[in-house]
Amino acid sequence: MKKKFFTLLAVSLSMGLGVAACNPVNPNSKSTKLTLTGSSTVAPLVGEIVKRFEAENPEVRIDVQTGGSSRGLADVSQGLNDIGMISRSLKDQEKTQFQSYAIAQDGIGIILESSNPVQKLSDQQVVDIYTGKIDNWQQVGGENAPITVVNKAEGRSTLELFLKYFDLNNSTIQADVIIGDNQQGIKTVAGNPHAIGYVSIGAAERDISQKVPLKLLSVGGIDATTATVQNGSFPLSRPLNLVTTETPSGLTKEFIEFAQSENVHDLVEAQNFVPVTSSKLVYAP
Amino acid sequence: MSKPKTLSQSPLQSWFTRHKDQCLVWLLRGLAAIAGAIILLILIFLIKESLPVLQEVGIKAFFQDRAWNPVEQSYNLVPMIWGTGLTMFGSVLLATPLGILSAIFCHYYAPQSIAIIYRRLIELLAGIPSVVYGFWGLVVLVPMINRLHPPGTSLLAGICILTLMILPTIALVADAAFAEIPQEYLLGAKAMGLSASGTIWHIVIPTAKSGLLIGVILETGRAIGETMAVLMVCGNVVQTPDSIFDPIRTLTANIALEMAYALGNHRSALFVSGLLLLMIIIVLAIATELIDQEV
């Protein structure tokens, strides 16, 4: 009897807790609420920045939703969000309508296992390797061994950037391995001396410094380092932008300034992106 | 808490005393309804999410399109069905005899001390998280297969990893099935002077048949559902393999790889592969039920 009573007590208590957890919404939330929508590449980074921003400003509630860069732009022009997120620069005809504020740079580098004798590949050679025209390392000055082509899964932003730079179509790529995230790519290439892949430069550099047997190849004659991504000379890179239609003011301005500040550089690096140098930043006026 | 017990109970307490059983029954009914409702809700959700693309391109598209290229509006799932099917068959084919034979060893041949250690080790094998298997496969197994025949990430690697992962399931279920065999059967066999191998092949295995079959179905379910380890070692190229050294992609790996970045019809198409997986599991569950009834 007693036991059952306690069981019932426990059940009702836990139900009570559940109800209590559903806090009523703060009635003043309107003035302290922001909505961001857009690119799924930018969203995880912004999500981290939002966490820190909310911790510093407890009254603020920020909602981050993904849906692609195009949704970010569409929403911001229709006033459905406060800030849009896009993982590219604005096109010239868009610049009249929108204002963009870069919060980070994304660069991807081509990686080989460190014992592979091949030191550099031209853009055309990379294209030929990925489309299967070159399938042995001998053809580009390496050992006589078949090339293992490592490609990214459909929908990944690194894949889009790679395809765009090399002007490829995903259906024409002859891949041997398809991977999901950067770490899987790094493990796959580091474990196979005849593999070629591409990953975020931030992630590759960090692992190389931890003695993972990898090397980053230059692209278009430019070394693949966070420094070249940061100064904008590395071709296989793009900015991650926050976009608004009007000149930001109030909370919107505060958040953009926070997202561009040095306070969040560690978050940017943790997501394998490269912080934008302060001399290159466009500040919200 | 040592309060003297009084005869007078509060009305609530006396109500509970009188309706004890009813309370329990309704509580249990409620909990059972929740458990049942969850699986139904999942099914409804999967159907709801996959409907947009099913209405737009029809079911046929998933079997007859040119390739899996959702961004370019083609949604052929057949290579991935092959991928799931082949890894499943391969691993079940390898793990079943291994598991059953090891259970026989453990039950009838091994000295008590070794049997106990052995059982603990198998249980440990069952408890290792799948991502650890995958990681081991990626850094040890795949480079080994790569030396044999590049690229290493392949159907073979997937089968090997899955075999390791489902082996404990069949070994433990078989062990339990053998433990349920009535002692009289074995004593009778002994009395008749049957040899050890005769007892095992003609008494033990036929008696434990239904338990073993259920073990096979359970391991099949696990093999189909496994995602992380397979994703890490199989290469994930969408193609129907020509040899066991070809990379393949399974339905589960497809969802895990693409879901995070999929939008619109692409996302919907991934739900269709989820629905397909659930269907296969439902068929397996029905098969288990039928075997259970038959024996």
Side-chain angles (χ1 to χ4, degrees):
Chain A
M1 167 66 205
K2 209 170 191 178
K3 208 169 174 186
K4 202 185 118 201
F5 191 76
F6 276 116
T7 318
L8 277 172
L9 194 71
V11 170
S12 52
L13 270 182
S14 58
M15 278 179 165
L17 270 182
V19 174
C22 307
N23 258 334
V25 185
N26 181 0
N28 303 328
S29 63
K30 207 170 182 189
S31 57
T32 56
K33 202 168 181 295
L34 274 185
T35 309
L36 283 84
T37 62
S39 160
S40 53
T41 316
V42 192
L45 171 61
V46 168
E48 291 298 314
I49 295 176
V50 161
K51 261 186 227 157
R52 191 168 288 180
F53 189 75
E54 284 179 339
E56 287 179 16
N57 306 278
E59 77 288 354
V60 178
R61 283 287 161 269
I62 302 181
D63 189 17
V64 183
Q65 295 168 10
T66 58
S69 296
S70 37
R71 176 175 169 202
L73 283 182
D75 282 0
V76 89
S77 65
Q78 291 165 23
L80 293 176
N81 63 11
D82 300 289
I83 304 174
M85 305 176 282
I86 61 172
S87 55
R88 56 176 172 83
S89 1
L90 287 176
K91 292 171 190 151
D92 281 337
Q93 73 267 24
E94 290 167 345
K95 280 187 181 150
T96 53
Q97 199 188 349
F98 303 108
Q99 306 183 0
S100 69
Y101 303 94
I103 56 169
Q105 290 274 338
D106 181 18
I108 62 172
I110 293 173
I111 51 170
L112 304 178
E113 207 259 356
S114 52
S115 71
N116 192 322
V118 174
Q119 294 303 334
K120 59 190 275 202
L121 292 168
S122 69
D123 286 2
Q124 188 54 44
Q125 283 172 324
V126 173
V127 169
D128 288 346
I129 287 173
Y130 269 84
T131 51
K133 277 185 214 131
I134 296 178
D135 57 5
N136 195 306
W137 284 109
Q138 229 170 12
Q139 290 164 272
V140 290
E143 299 165 21
N144 177 17
I147 301 177
T148 301
V149 175
V150 181
N151 195 23
K152 282 262 181 171
E154 189 125 20
R156 300 269 164 171
S157 55
T158 24
L159 170 72
E160 277 167 44
L161 184 55
F162 181 83
L163 294 179
K164 200 175 143 211
Y165 175 76
F166 287 106
D167 199 17
L168 286 165
N169 218 333
N170 199 21
S171 46
T172 58
I173 287 185
Q174 303 284 320
D176 298 305
V177 182
I178 292 177
I179 50 146
D181 59 8
N182 285 315
Q183 273 313 312
Q184 203 192 345
I186 286 170
K187 295 275 162 13
T188 306
V189 175
N192 183 341
H194 305 128
I196 178 169
Y198 55 92
V199 292
S200 273
I201 287 178
E205 260 190 355
R206 195 171 340 138
D207 277 31
I208 290 171
S209 71
Q210 282 162 12
K211 307 269 180 278
V212 175
L214 278 186
K215 61 181 173 193
L216 277 158
L217 295 188
S218 58
V219 174
I222 311 283
D223 287 340
T225 62
T226 44
T228 55
V229 173
Q230 203 161 28
N231 69 27
S233 59
F234 187 71
L236 205 44
S237 74
R238 61 178 170 181
L240 308 183
N241 281 319
L242 298 180
V243 184
T244 59
T245 40
E246 289 156 23
T247 309
S249 61
L251 188 60
T252 310
K253 182 175 176 201
E254 249 175 74
F255 180 74
I256 292 179
E257 278 171 354
F258 182 77
Q260 291 182 319
S261 68
E262 283 182 15
N263 292 344
V264 300
H265 278 190
D266 57 322
L267 299 178
V268 173
E269 280 158 13
Q271 302 274 333
N272 300 320
F273 298 132
V274 181
V276 186
T277 41
S278 50
S279 59
K280 293 208 161 235
L281 275 181
V282 181
Y283 291 105
Chain B
M1 289 299 273
S2 59
K3 238 182 358 183
K5 206 167 183 178
T6 49
L7 278 174
S8 62
Q9 290 181 314
S10 76
L12 188 69
Q13 257 178 328
S14 63
W15 186 86
F16 265 131
T17 326
R18 269 184 283 118
H19 299 276
K20 234 195 253 181
D21 282 339
Q22 257 162 306
C23 285
L24 181 68
V25 165
W26 279 104
L27 183 70
L28 293 182
R29 278 182 190 157
L31 292 178
I34 291 175
I38 287 173
I39 178 71
L40 277 181
L41 282 176
I42 290 176
L43 188 62
I44 292 170
F45 174 75
L46 276 179
I47 293 174
K48 192 183 128 242
E49 291 289 331
S50 33
L51 264 186
V53 73
L54 283 177
Q55 279 171 344
E56 200 177 311
V57 300
I59 288 185
K60 271 190 190 165
F62 289 92
F63 301 96
Q64 292 173 350
D65 269 0
R66 191 177 36 80
W68 171 260
N69 222 323
V71 176
E72 293 162 26
Q73 308 293 326
S74 66
Y75 305 99
N76 194 346
L77 288 177
V78 173
M80 286 176 271
I81 296 174
W82 275 112
T84 296
L86 287 171
T87 44
M88 178 194 89
F89 276 119
S91 55
V92 168
L93 218 60
L94 283 179
T96 307
L98 263 177
I100 293 179
L101 292 178
S102 75
I104 289 178
F105 166 77
C106 178
H107 224 88
Y108 297 106
Y109 289 92
Q112 194 62 27
S113 55
I114 292 183
I116 289 173
I117 296 171
Y118 181 83
R119 217 165 282 160
R120 292 287 164 277
L121 284 179
I122 294 275
E123 279 164 15
L124 195 65
L125 202 59
I128 297 176
S130 70
V131 68
V132 175
Y133 280 104
F135 188 63
W136 176 81
L138 189 56
V139 298
V140 180
L141 189 66
V142 167
M144 248 155 62
I145 298 177
N146 181 41
R147 278 198 289 279
L148 205 67
H149 191 297
T153 48
S154 55
L155 177 58
L156 179 65
I159 290 176
C160 293
I161 288 288
L162 271 184
T163 304
L164 275 182
M165 296 187 67
I166 65 178
L167 179 63
T169 309
I170 180 75
L172 292 174
V173 173
D175 198 48
F178 292 149
E180 270 176 28
I181 294 174
Q183 201 62 35
E184 298 85 53
Y185 287 21
L186 300 174
L187 291 176
K190 203 95 201 186
M192 306 268 279
L194 274 183
S195 66
S197 64
T199 316
I200 286 165
W201 293 119
H202 298 293
I203 310 273
V204 169
I205 292 198
T207 319
K209 200 174 69 189
S210 76
L212 297 181
L213 270 175
I214 286 171
V216 171
I217 288 174
L218 282 178
E219 63 170 347
T220 312
R222 185 154 190 222
I224 292 175
E226 180 44 45
T227 310
M228 265 329 280
V230 170
L231 185 150
M232 289 168 93
V233 302
C234 274
N236 305 314
V237 179
V238 184
Q239 61 178 11
T240 312
D242 296 325
S243 82
I244 54 167
F245 295 108
D246 280 349
I248 50 126
R249 185 186 293 190
T250 62
L251 286 167
T252 47
N254 189 39
I255 298 176
L257 270 176
E258 300 189 354
M259 190 48 99
Y261 299 90
L263 300 165
N265 270 353
H266 182 187
R267 186 166 175 278
S268 205
L270 292 180
F271 276 102
V272 175
S273 35
L275 199 59
L276 197 66
L277 278 169
L278 192 62
M279 297 293 174
I280 301 175
I281 299 291
I282 288 175
V283 170
L284 283 180
I286 292 174
T288 323
E289 194 57 35
L290 290 180
I291 291 171
D292 233 8
Q293 275 173 7
E294 211 156 280
V295 184

